[in-house]
Amino acid sequence: MKVNNKQIFIEGKPVTEDYLLNIATELTSLSELIQLVRQPLEMLDYSVTKNDEFVFKHYILTGGLQCLENNLEDIQNKILKISNNICPDEM
């Protein structure tokens, strides 16, 4: 089996193990944030399944959906930033 040892560069800088570790750390953080976003969605799903209108209405009326939207937007922006760092538009 032939191994490809071609050096990869991003914006003229070689990709190092440290760089890849930083990217992996950022992606892990995003994965954890997604889990935090999923928890209230699972709770809302459960409350609807059990016909618990109080929990559902309380969450919505206290701004829970806005918080979810903000977190999703934050995740989206961070993923875009990571993507742009890995593969800048100039390529």
Side-chain angles (χ1 to χ4, degrees):
M1 181 163 124
K2 189 175 181 182
V3 177
N4 184 358
N5 290 328
K6 182 179 173 185
Q7 179 69 49
I8 299 171
F9 294 88
I10 296 177
E11 294 186 337
K13 299 175 186 170
V15 174
T16 64
E17 288 181 24
D18 288 340
Y19 176 81
L20 294 175
L21 179 60
N22 287 339
I23 296 294
T25 301
E26 289 179 52
L27 292 172
T28 299
S29 295
L30 287 172
S31 175
E32 292 167 356
L33 184 54
I34 288 171
Q35 180 58 34
L36 291 175
V37 169
R38 286 184 58 209
Q39 288 174 352
L41 292 173
E42 291 168 355
M43 182 262 314
L44 289 173
D45 181 53
Y46 182 77
S47 70
V48 169
T49 301
K50 296 296 181 183
N51 293 319
D52 186 348
E53 291 183 26
F54 174 77
V55 170
F56 187 77
K57 287 180 181 178
H58 175 73
Y59 188 80
I60 291 173
L61 294 175
T62 58
L65 290 180
Q66 183 63 48
C67 182
L68 284 176
E69 181 181 353
N70 292 343
N71 284 330
L72 289 170
E73 184 177 358
D74 187 40
I75 292 167
Q76 179 183 17
N77 290 335
K78 287 179 180 180
I79 289 172
L80 185 59
K81 180 181 174 190
I82 291 169
S83 175
N84 288 340
N85 286 339
I86 291 172
C87 189
D89 291 336
E90 295 88 34
M91 291 183 71

